[in-house]
Amino acid sequence: GDGLTVIDCDEDYAGELVVPSRYNGKPVTEIGKDAFIRCHELKSVTIPNSVTTLRQGAFRDCKGLSEVIIPNSVKVVEESAFRTAISLKSITIPDSVTSIGEGAFNNCINLKYVTIGAGITEISSFFNGTIIENLVIPKNVQRVVRGAFSGMASLKSIDVAAGNKWYTSVDGVLFNKSKTDLIRFPAGKGTDYGIPAGTELIGPESFKNSKILQTVSIPSSVKIIDYRSFEGSGIKEVII
């Protein structure tokens, strides 16, 4: 094609990097697979708005990377794109992005603030091993993969953007729109939780790894407690 891909970087490069939008008269359209892997001294990267794809592991193990702005031209962020970028504290995923790969930001252990753009329709395990406390599900998300939040120990609330037709949030807990299916209790939310009356399904992995949770009250409306619902949790008492 006409577009160019960034395929490698000097691992000893330090400080700020501005990726050019054109090179030899051709547009730079991709940050290639593992292009900046282990560039530990890289502090910030400016990605031009000619780029549409961040390939698998593009910034993986960039341990010093504390600032990156994803431009509104990017459509795809592939799996493990920023995995173990341990200095990253915040990230904004623009509305142009329609696909985020599995584990794209996993083990970014200082990542606390994230904004997910309106282009995303499916959420999977993007943020395991981060310290994100509050997450907002965008309005166009139609599918939250079961177990998507199982590795987010710091998560205190999951909210849902206004206008989402598939999901809702009740006191920071994620439910389906009709509030019959409890999808995910945030692992860092608290020690006691009363499941709301009207809930019929305690979904798979819905309380998984909720280490600080000790007491759960289950209403009589509940018909099904699905697989691995309370696996790895700290529950000591269940009130039925």
Side-chain angles (χ1 to χ4, degrees), residues 27-225:
V28 176
T29 57
E30 292 188 359
I31 307 296
K33 181 181 178 183
D34 296 338
F36 293 93
I37 193 168
R38 289 187 291 277
C39 290
H40 297 318
E41 302 305 316
L42 201 58
K43 301 297 184 213
S44 77
V45 174
T46 301
I47 301 170
N49 60 12
S50 56
V51 170
T52 59
T53 306
L54 306 181
R55 292 290 181 200
Q56 179 180 345
F59 296 96
R60 183 172 181 157
D61 292 334
C62 288
K63 291 187 168 32
L65 185 64
S66 59
E67 184 180 9
V68 60
I69 296 172
I70 301 174
N72 212 30
S73 56
V74 173
K75 295 181 172 66
V76 177
V77 178
E78 289 191 348
E79 61 268 28
S80 301
F82 293 90
R83 183 187 287 265
T84 326
I86 60 173
S87 296
L88 211 54
K89 293 181 174 66
S90 68
I91 195 77
T92 297
I93 297 158
D95 292 347
S96 60
V97 175
T98 56
S99 173
I100 302 175
E102 190 83 11
F105 297 91
N106 279 12
N107 301 327
C108 292
I109 57 174
N110 288 299
L111 183 60
K112 188 172 183 178
Y113 304 103
V114 64
T115 302
I116 305 173
I120 295 298
T121 57
E122 180 173 310
I123 289 183
S124 184
S125 302
F126 305 151
F127 304 111
N128 283 351
T130 63
I131 55 170
I132 295 167
E133 294 182 0
N134 309 105
L135 196 67
V136 179
I137 307 290
K139 67 176 181 178
N140 296 317
V141 169
Q142 303 176 35
R143 181 169 183 249
V144 176
V145 176
R146 297 290 184 175
F149 309 116
S150 294
M152 299 178 69
S154 299
L155 196 61
K156 290 181 168 64
S157 73
I158 304 168
D159 295 311
V160 177
N164 188 296
K165 298 174 184 175
W166 297 274
Y167 297 99
T168 192
S169 175
V170 180
D171 192 28
V173 179
L174 185 64
F175 284 80
N176 66 337
K177 195 67 178 178
S178 60
K179 303 178 185 177
T180 55
D181 178 2
L182 193 163
I183 295 165
R184 182 66 217 190
F185 175 88
K189 181 173 171 59
T191 58
D192 307 280
Y193 181 62
I195 296 173
T199 303
E200 297 178 4
L201 169 66
I202 298 174
E205 300 188 28
S206 51
F207 290 87
K208 186 175 180 178
N209 297 334
S210 298
K211 304 287 187 192
I212 64 172
L213 183 64
Q214 295 183 11
T215 305
V216 172
S217 301
I218 300 176
S220 58
S221 57
V222 169
K223 298 172 182 174
I224 298 169
I225 299 175

